[in-house]
Amino acid sequence: MSVKGPNRVNPDLRRADASAASADRPENIRNVVLIGRSGAGKTMLLESLLYATGVVSRMGSIVEGTTVGDSEATAVHQQRSTGLSAAPLVFDDIKVNLLDTPGYADFMGELRAGLRAADAALFVVSAVDGVDAGTIALWGECERVGMPRAVVISRLDHPRADFDAVLAECRHSFGDSVLPLYLPVRAGGSVTGLLGLLSGSVSEYSAGEPRPSTRPAEAAELASSEQQRGELIEGIISESEDETLMDRYLEGEDVSVDTLIEDLETAIVRGTFFPVIAASSTTGLGTAELLEVLTRAFPSPAERSLPPATDLTGNPVAPLTCDPDGPIAGEVVRTTVDSFLGRVCLVRLFSGTLREDSAVHVGGHGLADRGHPDHDSDERITHLYSPLGANLRPVPFAVAGDICALAKVASAETGDTVSAREAPLLVETWDMPEPLMPVAVEAASHGDEDALSKSLAKVAAGDPTLRVERNAETHQLVLWCMGEAHSEAVLDRLREQGVKLQTVDVVTPLRETFAAQAAGHGRYVKQSGGHGQYAICDIEVEPLERGAGFEFVDKIVGGVIPGTYVVSVEKGVRSQMNKGVRAGFPVVDIRVTLVGGKTHSVDSSDAAFQAAGALALREAAAASNIQLLEPISAVTVLVADDHVGAVMSDLSSRRGKVTGTTSVGGENTEISAEVPEQELLRYAIVLRGLTAGGGRFRREYLRHEPLPPGIAVAAARA
């Protein structure tokens, strides 16, 4: 979420500011996240809903970069959502906080943040593109957190739209509890309205107005929809808590619409029934029906469970409740840095009431492995806003269940807990996806290094899926990203802050070892007036098995080298091992035996014997065959069964060794393999292409193994 600064409303943003007021009770709030594949139509659906409720005076354009959801420069450049964006509307006195999320797999962290902030989801599926592996993976993300949801089949105005086919795909992929509440009504080859299967009325959108006209369904329309209506009623009744209702219905009893709607709303809140609504952002089709579902059928924050919390020492506290009078407890779900306002935090408030001038505690724990050390600080809320995409509107307060924006909170990062200063809390963080694609960067010049470091800290504060690493072996600055689109977004954000940088090839941290026994003679003798330097040592080197490490053996006879200098020789050998002996990589898995040497009563010293030990190891290396070792990762790939063959073939082409496959249910297979690390540098991108965006993988270091000869030569020359 980028911001323009308070009250700096750009007339091109079409803001009507009709929904800047604060909700006064959790029961009057709905937090709804829009989820779907990139291109499904989420951002334009958001525009349509905002336009229908008067929040904006006209709809924006993705191509022109004028939508509420995609206001970041990176999103405009990539022509797709790259970050979580919030936009509230008010309908029937209910405040609905809509959260637009990216649909591209690289931005899974933003999606999970949106799921954390929301209480229900609009799951958007394109009537043109249908259901693919990526869509199924997104549905799984919703199921993982038990998110109530409705399915929106969008883009009904497109010439290739096929509502019936995509509905069938949704039911096949998501289950029989996915059923339409409305059916498209066509006139002249176009969808002009929606027939309500329960109400028996038709909403006409042919005039292109945000609010439709309503008429009774014609006899032919009712007859053609009779089967779907029966399926819907049976589906609703099967979810009813009244166990006798199904028997009564099958015996011919006429179930009232009010009873059906009550059971429908209960099942939606419970997350066991998923109504389908057809929509078109271009014509406004379905907006009235969606708004009714959002406000009447979706749960309020008071109806949803809250994440567990602890005190700062990790001890559990009493469960949080969505109570405006309770202790302040909220979570930062997105952080951006604005040149005028500093850090701007999008906060989901779980408990209590936030007001300007509130004294709060900001704490973040548990993300040290992502480069976010545990931190705690006390802050004072000086600016409280209701966010509308890039625009911030001041509000006097925010109650439990609401979503607000805080400005000038110097220490806050995404995932942090905001709580009362006198009773600080830590809310359990949501599951962050692991970044698996490394991108090495360096400042364009020495003078840009400080700017790069400062800007990276700002970007990383708002993106817990980004891991910043200074590799101790290769000395490269590596950004671990979710994929290519994510890396482009990170680099764009850095460049927007004026940082001059360039990407370079990622260097895989190899190892060196001796392939055979060798002897080395280290002679370090210098005389330049006064005390000189005198040290001579002889060593023998032999390889050890993989993973054995390093052994140093003292076989000096007769004290020709005193014990203190024996230690010095070992230090010198270890130092040279760290520097490498052939290609500059650390040496591992060898035994070095000190077998002889000479000292001088005056000129010998610790430094001289360290230098002699290093020289001896280099001489032994020159006389031996040095072998390069590459890191091998244990890789686990989760893919749909249809893609198993392609993925296994690709792993083999990457010098990988498949070690097993396991069926994990739901037509998915888990593939286990051992793959060289340098073959995985861009695997996140390749896997996505092989599996239509549905594949996932994880990896961990396993061991080092010898590089094949051809690759070994190339690596040594590099």
Side-chain angles (χ1 to χ4, degrees):
M1 178 187 62
S2 65
V3 298
K4 307 297 184 187
N7 298 320
R8 291 188 278 170
V9 180
N10 185 333
D12 290 338
L13 295 179
R14 310 153 285 115
R15 308 294 183 249
D17 281 347
S19 57
S22 299
D24 57 353
R25 296 294 303 171
E27 293 79 6
N28 297 331
I29 299 171
R30 304 290 184 270
N31 296 311
V32 181
V33 60
L34 280 71
I35 296 176
R37 282 298 309 275
S38 183
K42 301 181 300 300
T43 298
M44 291 310 298
L45 179 63
L46 173 63
E47 289 285 314
S48 181
L49 292 169
L50 295 177
Y51 175 62
T53 52
V55 179
V56 297
S57 58
R58 60 184 175 85
M59 291 176 58
S61 164
I62 291 177
V63 174
E64 296 173 4
T66 56
T67 62
V68 172
D70 292 346
S71 52
E72 268 192 338
T74 303
V76 174
H77 169 68
Q78 294 194 13
Q79 295 282 287
R80 61 185 166 203
S81 300
T82 58
L84 180 67
S85 181
L89 59 84
V90 175
F91 183 77
D92 280 351
D93 297 324
I94 300 294
K95 180 182 180 183
V96 181
N97 291 310
L98 294 171
L99 296 160
D100 189 18
T101 63
Y104 202 63
D106 279 15
F107 304 104
M108 185 62 68
E110 302 286 337
L111 168 73
R112 290 186 179 177
L115 286 169
R116 179 55 165 254
D119 303 302
L122 287 179
F123 194 90
V124 185
V125 181
S126 169
V128 180
D129 303 317
V131 177
D132 60 6
T135 304
I136 295 172
L138 292 175
W139 186 267
E141 289 289 326
C142 294
E143 284 193 320
R144 187 175 58 85
V145 296
M147 181 64 69
R149 50 205 179 274
V151 177
V152 181
I153 297 182
S154 65
R155 303 178 65 192
L156 260 293
D157 57 292
H158 196 281
R160 293 192 293 107
D162 191 335
F163 176 83
D164 294 333
V166 173
L167 174 62
E169 290 179 16
C170 289
R171 298 202 66 193
H172 173 75
S173 301
F174 308 146
D176 293 338
S177 294
V178 175
L179 285 167
L181 291 182
Y182 305 88
L183 294 179
V185 174
R186 294 173 172 82
S190 300
V191 178
T192 59
L194 294 177
L195 167 63
L197 292 176
L198 294 181
S199 67
S201 62
V202 174
S203 300
E204 290 282 6
Y205 287 88
S206 55
E209 295 295 325
R211 293 176 179 81
S213 60
T214 304
R215 64 170 175 82
E218 298 174 359
E221 292 170 334
L222 291 175
S224 64
S225 63
E226 185 176 351
Q227 179 180 345
Q228 291 95 328
R229 185 176 190 272
E231 291 175 353
L232 173 62
I233 291 174
E234 290 185 15
I236 294 173
I237 292 175
S238 67
E239 297 290 339
S240 176
E241 295 179 354
D242 184 349
E243 297 180 356
T244 68
L245 191 58
M246 180 63 78
D247 292 335
R248 286 155 42 201
Y249 171 73
L250 294 176
E251 290 171 1
E253 181 177 326
D254 188 18
V255 182
S256 71
V257 172
D258 289 343
T259 299
L260 291 173
I261 291 176
E262 184 178 343
D263 286 339
L264 170 66
E265 292 172 353
T266 300
I268 292 173
V269 170
R270 199 165 51 220
T272 56
F273 188 88
F274 313 105
V276 179
I277 302 166
S280 165
S281 302
T282 303
T283 65
L285 180 83
T287 51
E289 289 74 16
L290 281 171
L291 288 167
E292 187 175 13
V293 169
L294 294 177
T295 53
R296 290 191 56 185
F298 276 177
S300 74
E303 298 174 87
R304 294 283 289 166
S305 60
L306 299 179
T310 67
D311 60 23
L312 298 186
T313 61
N315 295 317
V317 299
L320 297 173
T321 58
C322 190
D323 181 3
D325 298 321
I328 293 175
E331 191 168 30
V332 179
V333 293
R334 190 152 201 255
T335 307
T336 55
V337 178
D338 177 69
S339 57
F340 181 80
L341 293 172
R343 291 196 183 187
V344 179
C345 301
L346 191 65
V347 174
R348 164 65 194 266
L349 191 59
F350 296 123
S351 172
T353 299
L354 269 180
R355 302 180 187 275
E356 286 194 356
D357 209 37
S358 296
V360 298
H361 178 87
V362 178
H365 292 203
L367 291 176
D369 60 334
R370 297 295 182 90
H372 300 264
D374 292 353
H375 55 276
D376 294 277
S377 66
D378 291 331
E379 306 264 4
R380 186 167 293 278
I381 304 301
T382 56
H383 298 85
L384 188 63
Y385 300 103
S386 174
L388 179 60
N391 200 39
L392 300 178
R393 293 84 47 77
V395 290
F397 61 87
V399 300
D402 209 347
I403 292 174
C404 61
L406 310 180
K408 298 185 177 180
V409 185
S411 62
E413 300 182 354
T414 300
D416 283 3
T417 300
V418 178
S419 57
R421 183 182 294 179
E422 63 275 10
L425 300 173
L426 291 172
V427 174
E428 183 180 280
T429 58
W430 65 90
D431 184 25
M432 308 285 186
E434 185 70 24
L436 293 168
M437 193 186 88
V439 178
V441 299
E442 59 184 28
S445 67
H446 182 71
D448 294 312
E449 291 180 355
D450 188 49
L452 174 59
S453 177
K454 290 180 180 178
S455 294
L456 258 180
K458 294 177 182 178
V459 172
D463 188 353
T465 63
L466 171 67
R467 190 173 81 237
V468 181
E469 171 190 283
R470 175 70 73 174
N471 192 291
E473 296 180 23
T474 66
H475 307 294
Q476 284 189 309
L477 179 60
V478 180
L479 311 182
W480 285 88
C481 304
M482 296 293 295
E484 190 169 35
H486 183 215
S487 68
E488 288 177 2
V490 170
L491 296 176
D492 281 350
R493 287 166 186 156
L494 291 171
R495 289 172 178 134
E496 285 170 22
Q497 298 180 37
V499 178
K500 296 179 181 179
L501 55 80
Q502 58 194 20
T503 60
V504 295
D505 291 338
V506 176
V507 177
T508 302
L510 305 181
R511 299 284 188 272
E512 300 175 7
T513 194
F514 282 66
Q517 292 185 347
H521 176 72
R523 185 176 187 275
Y524 189 75
V525 178
K526 292 187 177 181
Q527 189 69 46
S528 58
H531 284 299
Q533 298 289 339
Y534 188 96
I536 296 176
C537 66
D538 293 294
I539 63 171
E540 294 176 351
V541 183
E542 58 185 306
L544 299 177
E545 63 182 15
R546 293 285 81 78
F550 170 64
E551 294 180 15
F552 185 84
V553 180
D554 175 15
K555 284 192 176 180
I556 291 296
V557 178
V560 294
I561 298 180
T564 55
Y565 293 153
V566 170
V567 174
S568 301
V569 173
E570 182 179 355
K571 287 181 181 178
V573 169
R574 286 182 178 273
S575 176
Q576 189 61 53
M577 287 176 64
N578 289 332
K579 296 175 183 177
V581 293
R582 182 69 56 83
F585 297 107
V587 178
V588 296
D589 301 338
I590 60 171
R591 177 185 292 120
V592 173
T593 304
L594 179 61
V595 295
K598 295 181 181 180
T599 62
H600 189 278
S601 60
V602 176
D603 292 341
S604 290
S605 65
D606 171 64
F609 271 97
Q610 286 194 45
L615 287 169
L617 186 65
R618 291 205 297 268
E619 182 177 290
S624 177
N625 178 24
I626 299 300
Q627 191 172 52
L628 288 177
L629 306 175
E630 64 177 336
I632 305 297
S633 292
V635 177
T636 303
V637 188
L638 179 65
V639 297
D641 292 345
D642 293 344
H643 301 298
V644 169
V647 170
M648 291 178 64
S649 176
D650 179 75
L651 288 171
S652 297
S653 73
R654 295 174 181 279
R655 300 186 286 124
K657 181 174 64 176
V658 175
T659 57
T661 59
T662 305
S663 177
V664 293
E667 300 181 350
N668 291 317
T669 296
E670 196 170 76
I671 304 169
S672 300
E674 297 177 0
V675 187
E677 190 172 296
Q678 68 181 61
E679 299 286 350
L680 295 171
L681 296 180
R682 299 180 66 80
Y683 188 62
I685 301 171
V686 173
L687 179 63
R688 195 163 297 140
L690 289 172
T691 61
R696 300 286 185 271
F697 82 103
R698 61 183 185 273
R699 70 180 186 184
E700 60 179 326
Y701 169 76
L702 190 60
R703 61 182 178 272
H704 273 73
E705 287 186 354
L707 269 169
I711 298 176
V713 171
R717 288 175 179 171

